Amino acid sequence: MSANDETLKVNIYPTGNAFTRNPIFLSVSSVSMATYSIRMNDEEIFKGNGTGDFKVNISEIVETGIKTVPVLRGGTESITGITGLFARADIHVENEGAEEADLFFTAWAGGISKKDFKRLRTMGTDIFTLKFLNPYCNFFFTTRSADWKITVRETELYPLPFIFPSSGEEVSVTELTGKNKTIVEGTPGNLYALDIAAIRRAFFFDNGILASCFDVRVGENFACRIAVEQSRATKERYLLRFLNSYGAYELLEVQGKASVTPQFPEEGEGATFSRYDEITDDFNQERKRPEIQNIITVGIGYRRSGEIPFLLDLLSSDDVTLLGYGEDEIRVIPSVEEFSFMVHPEEPKDITLKLTFTETESNYTPDITENGFSKPRIHSKQFSKQFN
């Protein structure tokens, strides 16, 4: 070893677990040139080098190795294992003095606000230690709530991701009277989704109780409470499924009359062209089929002040899908033209959303339904032909 018996020093922050939409700093100290390589999913995704003391933000690099997949709702299991949302990142560093260092962490697709990131770093902790790995608090990956109580409308129920407590203690969900309880089992450290809708259904069919309030405990310790609110009856109802800041999918109910505005392209250069007519020995002006983009305008109904941050999370999401508009899911970009709220609001606020379809369309044909273009059946397929 040369260069005065150099010593390679390598550090990563945050350690253990880190969100990819916040900085992930790889710090290296080496007298000679040091080369670092990052591997995810059994393949090398990046290689770089530097000399002396240098620090690299690798968050955008490791984000490419994570795939987010929506959890299916409507199942019967109270808990479901989740793949995706996170991936292990292995880092190997080697300098010209033949010194080597290896470290790894788990990268998660998501992030917290800059304000909270700086605050937690000053405190010497991180969001995973404070929340997601803490079995005695609201440890779910939801931005719907900022405290120990999660309030959700029954139409917005969606499986809640969480990391199974490393202590190995049982996780129980009890409705508020204490007469109905379910225990969920899992492998400590693995990611699961708790389906309150499935638990609620099971309590109803087994015991005839439509529960609306649930206490989540880890062992004998209280963690959080989930309260289910009744949704208002309405003629039109849509749902927006979006990827929240923590990298998990959630639902927001939209209640109100929706109007569709087809957005036609501006008549500019390239919109029309000339075609030669041999009979008249002249040119006729024709046009290409225009690509039309639909925009839906709809009110989401009155929302309490505590739901405004949840709405802002929807508006900033890069993955939003409209459900209930026809039979297919439609990717949209949500926005609002005018939106303001009081610092200390005293009453609910009605907000109007604009949902712009991400795809343009030039072919407008009738929607293909379940029956296709055939005469519909009177009864379902479970009945014999004599009933149809």
Side-chain angles (χ1 to χ4, degrees):
M1 184 178 298
S2 58
N4 299 322
D5 296 327
E6 59 179 310
T7 300
L8 175 67
K9 297 180 181 179
V10 181
N11 184 46
I12 192 80
Y13 177 86
T15 60
N17 297 275
F19 274 135
T20 58
R21 286 202 293 271
N22 292 127
I24 303 175
F25 292 117
L26 172 65
S27 301
V28 179
S29 177
S30 176
V31 176
S32 61
M33 178 176 290
T35 301
Y36 62 93
S37 64
I38 304 173
R39 295 183 62 86
M40 297 182 72
N41 305 313
D42 297 324
E43 64 175 331
E44 185 179 78
I45 62 171
F46 188 81
K47 178 179 284 188
N49 56 59
T51 305
D53 296 338
F54 63 92
K55 182 170 67 174
V56 184
N57 183 3
I58 62 173
S59 58
E60 292 185 359
I61 299 172
V62 297
E63 189 173 27
T64 61
I66 306 173
K67 296 181 179 180
T68 55
V69 180
V71 180
L72 297 178
R73 62 186 182 124
T76 58
E77 298 295 329
S78 58
I79 187 174
T80 305
I82 300 179
T83 57
L85 302 185
F86 66 97
R88 171 171 165 151
D90 291 277
I91 302 175
H92 178 75
V93 184
E94 183 175 357
N95 63 12
E96 293 178 336
E99 293 181 296
E100 298 182 24
D102 292 285
L103 47 82
F104 70 92
F105 66 96
T106 302
W108 298 77
I112 60 176
S113 68
K114 295 177 182 177
K115 177 185 66 175
D116 287 338
F117 183 82
K118 289 187 288 186
R119 180 186 177 198
L120 292 177
R121 182 161 190 180
T122 302
M123 294 168 56
T125 185
D126 57 75
I127 187 65
F128 284 88
T129 303
L130 181 70
K131 176 176 171 66
F132 304 123
L133 298 177
N134 182 0
Y136 310 126
C137 73
N138 171 10
F139 48 69
F140 293 103
F141 284 70
T142 175
T143 57
R144 192 182 294 274
S145 169
D147 54 24
W148 61 274
K149 185 178 181 180
I150 304 171
T151 302
V152 55
R153 297 183 183 184
E154 57 187 355
T155 50
E156 295 179 349
L157 285 173
Y158 201 80
L160 293 167
F162 72 101
I163 301 173
F164 205 90
S166 58
S167 62
E169 297 176 281
E170 69 177 26
V171 177
S172 63
V173 181
T174 309
E175 56 99 4
L176 206 55
T177 65
K179 296 180 180 179
N180 297 282
K181 176 181 178 180
T182 185
I183 296 176
V184 295
E185 298 179 349
T187 303
N190 283 7
L191 186 66
Y192 294 89
L194 182 70
D195 195 340
I196 289 296
I199 296 175
R200 197 171 184 236
R201 227 170 8 247
F203 285 171
F204 178 75
F205 287 120
D206 295 343
N207 305 297
I209 295 178
L210 186 59
S212 59
C213 211
F214 305 85
D215 283 348
V216 180
R217 295 180 179 274
V218 177
E220 298 297 325
N221 298 290
F222 177 84
C224 64
R225 176 170 295 170
I226 302 173
V228 181
E229 292 183 331
Q230 184 178 5
S231 293
R232 179 172 59 89
T234 179
K235 291 183 179 179
E236 289 189 53
R237 190 193 311 276
Y238 308 95
L239 292 172
L240 293 172
R241 185 186 67 212
F242 69 98
L243 190 68
N244 70 13
S245 292
Y246 292 147
Y249 285 93
E250 303 205 66
L251 289 180
L252 179 76
E253 180 186 50
V254 177
Q255 296 179 343
K257 295 182 179 180
S259 62
V260 181
T261 304
Q263 192 77 30
F264 293 86
E266 296 183 1
E267 294 292 339
E269 185 178 353
T272 60
F273 63 95
S274 298
R275 189 188 299 274
Y276 177 69
D277 187 345
E278 294 183 355
I279 298 177
T280 61
D281 189 28
D282 202 355
F283 288 92
N284 299 327
Q285 191 175 48
E286 300 186 12
R287 74 166 186 174
K288 301 177 182 178
R289 293 185 68 92
E291 295 282 345
I292 303 173
Q293 189 170 42
N294 284 340
I295 299 176
I296 292 181
T297 303
V298 60
I300 68 171
Y302 285 93
R303 294 282 171 169
R304 295 187 299 267
S305 60
E307 297 177 285
I308 296 299
F310 187 62
L311 175 61
L312 290 173
D313 199 18
L314 162 73
L315 292 172
S316 63
S317 177
D318 59 348
D319 185 351
V320 183
T321 302
L322 175 64
L323 310 177
Y325 183 82
E327 297 186 2
D328 297 322
E329 300 180 353
I330 301 174
R331 289 288 298 272
V332 295
I333 299 173
S335 61
V336 288
E337 289 187 350
E338 295 183 5
F339 181 42
S340 63
F341 55 92
M342 303 297 293
V343 176
H344 301 290
E346 298 178 352
E347 58 185 15
K349 185 177 181 63
D350 188 17
I351 300 164
T352 300
L353 288 181
K354 285 182 61 178
L355 306 174
T356 304
F357 289 20
T358 58
E359 291 184 343
T360 57
E361 186 59 79
S362 62
N363 299 311
Y364 276 82
T365 56
D367 290 337
I368 300 176
T369 63
E370 182 181 357
N371 297 310
F373 297 95
S374 303
K375 179 182 177 181
R377 298 168 63 94
I378 299 174
H379 298 287
S380 66
K381 296 180 181 179
Q382 281 70 31
F383 286 81
S384 63
K385 292 184 178 179
Q386 70 185 29
F387 289 100
N388 291 281

